[in-house]
Amino acid sequence: MNPETTLTDLRAAVAAAATPAERTGALNQLARELERQGEYAESFAAAEEAEAAAKQAGDIAAEADALRLQGVACLQKGKYSTALPLLEESLNLWEHLGNGSGTDRTLNNIGNVYRSLSEYPKALEYYSRALFLYEELGDRSGVARATGNIGLVYWNLSDYPKALEYDSRALALFEELGDRSGVATVTNNIGNVYMNLSEYLKSLEYYTRAFALFEELGERSGVARITGNIGLVYDRLSEYPKALEHLSHGLAMLEELGDRFSAAAVTVSIGNVYASLSEYSKSLEHYLRALALYEELGDRSGVALATGNIGSLYSQKTFADYNPIKAEELLQQAITLGEELGINQNPYAAHKSLADLYEQENRFEEALTTSERVREVKEEVQSEEAKKKAIQVEQQRQIAEMEKRTAAERADAEATKRVLHNILPPTIAQRVVRGEEHIAESFESVTVLFADIVGFTVLSQRITPQELVTGLDLLFSQFDELAEKYGLEKIKTIGDAYMAVSGLPESREDHAESAARMAMELVEVVAGFNGLGDGVRLQVRIGLHSGEVVAGIIGKKKFAYDLWGDAVNTASRMESHGEAGRIHVSEEFAAALSSAISTGGLSITLEERGELTIKGKGTLQIYFLNQVIPRTQTKPSQPCAPLLLRPPHPPSTPMR
């Protein structure tokens, strides 16, 4: 659906709301959609209105949801000090109501605030609580979200094996749920891990995949963030013009959306590109702008990053404002802050710049000590374990994709097989699947059955098309069941006529007997059919003939298994020259059935109708097939036997 259309509909629902309760629900829905589309200021305003309407309606759950939505909008705009109390107030209301669904979402949102504030232990605590509740409620979508968020915390802590473990688990869940937005988000996060592992091409692959999904979904915030991330990859690949193009475009979108946290990160990245191009004044300008944003947001991790980058800039001798004292001070600040937060990525870069500074200032002992620390931190950040885990995750992804393709192909094959089995005999369907193109066989002795509903054409003019189709479907479905019961192969229906055959594609000696049994029951089924309404009763006219036919498939796209030969024409004539409610059979059929009748295997008699002149066939001896109705027999009287008391049922053996 077009995002603009969705917003228009939701705004119309708000305007049309007649009561405070209706207005509350409509406003909360609008706030959610605005937040999804990155319109955070409007989302906050709508949620604020929803809170007021909820209080007026006395709806505590709606009030809690409105407070949560306000908190989420503030979080997205980087207003963490405002977001946290709103979310905590929402959490208190949800817990008071005992609403687990509202509680788990809000816990997850509070975790997001603490992660943005670089308070990672707190973030893990709230994410873990949310995850526990999601699992308890059986909310698999929530489980996926909380799992992905825990992966993000481990990424912030540079614990890449754990980050990949949680990310891959979340990705599998989102894919299983068909949540493409969730898939895009986690795919981006995995790209971030590969970025920090210096696997730039692999990172670009994940970013590109996530970008396409976000763009398709119309999620502007996701598109903006990943545009910046792609720019960061080009920076690492030293493709600076491309890097600046993507980073600048991403920054403009993020600033338009009011996503100050992501905007600060992209601003740092632009500063890095200018530093690589030795345009130090532009680099410093962007670092200082990012630092101010991070300090305003209260993001200490970002403060450490920007501070370290500014210190690194002042350590460059080619920088006009080269200042080794200031550089050392800023780099030490970045290292201390990073270590306090328990993150390694930023301290690693700061340690490296500090070691280089000491070396160029001929402070060799300090340079050696700092270089040793650089090696230690690098091992922690880019350990072999992490790289192995990355390879393992990638292999698992490739295997999962292969299995998904295989499963889809297998499902398609099964669906094709089911369809073929519905329109073709199973043995013929198998031959088609194997690739046989020209299937035609001759069968020396089969029985062809034609059945036609008497007067149905006239009746169809008195009922609606819906009643006509529904009635025929019900009736012919019963015919199909009888064909399966007696082992006949349905060939086709033509209007209100039904054609089946016994004795192919698998030959059988009792083809006449099985067709006779089906014909007898068909008469009863049609006589008792009331699927066209009360008072409407039907009769069937049936014709049977035994003889030789050719059977095969015609058509290239829409297969049809059909019969040809004189036996088909004769069976059709038997039906058309028959009588309502009766089974009209040929002399050849009577001969084929005679052995079954003579042995007493069938309660059927053949009634001679005499000779009948049939167009195209000449004069034929014709019979009616009749059901034998057993007569009640009177037994000679017996002397009364003494009345004996017996158990009502014989003893039984329990089923094991």
Side-chain angles (χ1 to χ4, degrees):
M1 183 181 290
N2 187 315
E4 288 303 320
T5 305
T6 304
L7 287 175
T8 302
D9 292 343
L10 289 172
R11 288 189 175 106
V14 171
T19 65
E22 288 177 3
R23 184 170 174 77
T24 300
L27 282 164
N28 274 339
Q29 274 190 289
L30 178 61
R32 271 190 287 276
E33 182 59 25
L34 285 165
E35 187 271 325
R36 192 188 73 81
Q37 294 189 29
E39 303 290 348
Y40 305 125
E42 286 188 67
S43 175
F44 181 85
E48 203 170 31
E49 280 189 64
E51 181 194 357
K55 285 178 177 175
Q56 188 180 352
D59 189 338
I60 297 175
E63 182 186 348
D65 199 27
L67 285 164
R68 186 187 70 81
L69 288 165
Q70 289 175 59
V72 170
C74 290
L75 167 63
Q76 296 288 14
K77 290 180 69 66
K79 296 180 178 179
Y80 307 129
S81 58
T82 308
L84 197 55
L86 286 166
L87 291 168
E88 286 173 339
E89 188 179 352
S90 173
L91 181 63
N92 288 336
L93 288 176
W94 288 125
E95 288 180 334
H96 171 72
L97 289 169
N99 187 312
S101 177
T103 301
D104 50 25
R105 286 199 307 271
T106 311
L107 285 167
N108 196 52
N109 296 144
I110 293 173
N112 289 340
V113 176
Y114 281 119
R115 191 185 69 80
S116 300
L117 290 169
S118 307
E119 296 190 32
Y120 301 123
K122 276 271 191 185
L124 275 177
E125 175 195 333
Y126 278 90
Y127 287 149
S128 299
R129 285 173 62 188
L131 179 60
F132 175 79
L133 262 178
Y134 283 132
E135 288 175 334
E136 196 173 60
L137 293 168
D139 183 347
R140 295 168 68 226
S141 178
V143 169
R145 288 196 301 275
T147 301
N149 285 339
I150 291 171
L152 267 178
V153 173
Y154 284 119
W155 173 73
N156 286 126
L157 293 170
S158 304
D159 189 341
Y160 301 130
K162 275 195 174 178
L164 284 169
E165 177 189 333
Y166 279 90
D167 283 342
S168 56
R169 200 182 302 165
L171 183 61
L173 273 169
F174 280 129
E175 286 179 335
E176 193 179 324
L177 292 165
D179 185 336
R180 293 158 70 220
S181 178
V183 168
T185 300
V186 179
T187 300
N188 174 64
N189 295 345
I190 294 174
N192 291 340
V193 175
Y194 281 116
M195 169 68 73
N196 286 9
L197 288 170
S198 303
E199 299 279 350
Y200 303 129
L201 294 179
K202 185 62 69 180
S203 176
L204 187 59
E205 178 191 329
Y206 276 87
Y207 286 151
T208 304
R209 198 180 304 158
F211 180 89
L213 273 171
F214 276 131
E215 195 168 47
E216 194 178 323
L217 291 166
E219 293 193 18
R220 294 169 62 220
S221 57
V223 169
R225 287 194 301 273
I226 296 178
T227 301
N229 288 349
I230 291 172
L232 186 57
V233 175
Y234 284 125
D235 173 35
R236 300 291 176 86
L237 293 171
S238 302
E239 296 187 33
Y240 302 125
K242 274 190 174 182
L244 281 175
E245 178 190 340
H246 283 81
L247 289 166
S248 301
H249 185 42
L251 180 60
M253 285 192 286
L254 290 165
E255 287 177 338
E256 185 186 339
L257 292 166
D259 186 347
R260 297 193 299 159
F261 174 78
S262 299
V266 174
T267 302
V268 168
S269 298
I270 294 174
N272 291 343
V273 176
Y274 282 124
S276 299
L277 293 169
S278 300
E279 295 187 35
Y280 298 124
S281 59
K282 283 188 177 180
S283 178
L284 182 61
E285 176 192 334
H286 282 84
Y287 287 155
L288 290 171
R289 194 185 304 165
L291 178 62
L293 261 175
Y294 280 130
E295 286 177 335
E296 190 181 334
L297 293 168
D299 184 346
R300 295 192 298 154
S301 173
V303 169
L305 171 66
T307 302
N309 284 0
I310 295 168
S312 179
L313 198 60
Y314 279 113
S315 73
Q316 301 298 315
K317 278 193 171 183
T318 50
F319 180 31
D321 294 328
Y322 171 67
N323 188 333
I325 296 173
K326 190 170 186 178
E328 182 180 7
E329 178 188 341
L330 290 169
L331 289 168
Q332 290 286 13
Q333 283 179 20
I335 290 168
T336 302
L337 185 52
E339 288 176 344
E340 282 177 7
L341 294 170
I343 55 179
N344 290 327
Q345 189 67 32
N346 295 343
Y348 164 69
H351 272 109
K352 181 73 171 62
S353 295
L354 190 58
D356 292 342
L357 175 65
Y358 287 146
E359 190 172 341
Q360 72 187 20
E361 289 295 306
N362 299 321
R363 296 163 63 177
F364 298 116
E365 189 174 337
E366 290 165 292
L368 185 64
T369 305
T370 308
S371 294
E372 182 59 35
R373 180 60 184 146
V374 168
R375 280 192 295 274
E376 290 173 5
V377 175
K378 185 175 181 180
E379 284 176 7
E380 292 172 18
V381 172
Q382 296 186 330
S383 66
E384 283 303 311
E385 182 191 356
K387 291 195 174 182
K388 283 178 184 175
K389 182 66 179 176
I391 292 168
Q392 182 186 358
V393 167
E394 180 60 20
Q395 288 174 340
Q396 287 173 345
R397 182 187 70 81
Q398 291 173 355
I399 290 168
E401 286 185 355
M402 182 186 69
E403 288 176 345
K404 195 186 296 180
R405 283 196 302 273
T406 304
E409 289 168 2
R410 189 181 296 119
D412 286 344
E414 285 298 320
T416 302
K417 184 179 175 182
R418 281 196 300 274
V419 171
L420 282 173
H421 281 203
N422 280 337
I423 61 176
L424 301 174
T427 55
I428 301 299
Q430 288 168 12
R431 291 167 65 181
V432 170
V433 170
R434 287 198 298 267
E436 285 191 52
E437 292 185 359
H438 304 291
I439 299 175
E441 296 173 288
S442 177
F443 294 87
E444 188 176 339
S445 185
V446 300
T447 295
V448 181
L449 178 151
F450 272 92
D452 188 75
I453 309 303
V454 178
F456 197 84
T457 304
V458 176
L459 174 64
S460 65
Q461 295 170 359
R462 306 199 328 252
I463 59 178
T464 66
Q466 181 66 36
E467 289 171 330
L468 172 69
V469 174
T470 303
L472 272 179
D473 179 58
L474 285 170
L475 186 58
F476 282 172
S477 293
Q478 293 183 52
F479 283 19
D480 289 343
E481 289 172 8
L482 291 179
E484 186 174 354
K485 175 180 177 181
Y486 292 110
L488 275 72
E489 187 65 46
K490 173 186 175 180
I491 300 301
K492 58 187 172 184
T493 59
I494 308 166
D496 60 335
Y498 187 94
M499 176 184 176
V501 60
S502 179
L504 63 76
E506 303 295 331
S507 297
R508 56 187 294 179
E509 292 183 2
D510 65 343
H511 56 82
E513 181 181 343
S514 62
R517 290 181 186 278
M518 177 176 172
M520 287 292 181
E521 197 163 344
L522 271 180
V523 173
E524 294 175 9
V525 164
V526 174
F529 183 72
N530 61 358
L532 292 170
D534 293 337
V536 179
R537 287 291 176 264
L538 301 176
Q539 286 185 305
V540 66
R541 192 170 51 235
I542 298 174
L544 296 172
H545 173 68
S546 298
E548 184 179 357
V549 297
V550 172
I553 289 180
I554 56 172
K556 290 290 184 185
K557 292 185 178 178
K558 294 185 177 180
F559 295 120
Y561 186 71
D562 211 341
L563 306 182
W564 297 271
D566 184 65
V568 178
N569 297 330
T570 304
S572 176
R573 296 287 190 276
M574 291 299 102
E575 177 273 312
S576 61
H577 287 74
E579 294 180 4
R582 306 202 72 180
I583 303 165
H584 203 209
V585 305
S586 67
E587 190 170 9
E588 288 81 358
F589 172 82
L593 190 67
S594 59
S595 61
I597 294 175
S598 62
T599 58
L602 275 178
S603 298
I604 289 174
T605 62
L606 286 164
E607 174 191 336
E608 285 191 22
R609 186 182 183 186
E611 292 183 344
L612 194 67
T613 302
I614 295 176
K615 184 179 177 181
K617 299 299 298 178
T619 303
L620 301 179
Q621 179 66 42
I622 307 301
Y623 298 85
F624 283 123
L625 207 61
N626 297 324
Q627 182 104 30
V628 174
I629 301 172
R631 290 178 297 176
T632 304
Q633 295 181 354
T634 305
K635 294 184 179 180
S637 60
Q638 299 287 340
C640 292
L643 185 63
L644 301 177
L645 294 177
R646 295 185 175 88
H649 301 290
S652 60
T653 305
M655 186 178 290
R656 299 185 183 276

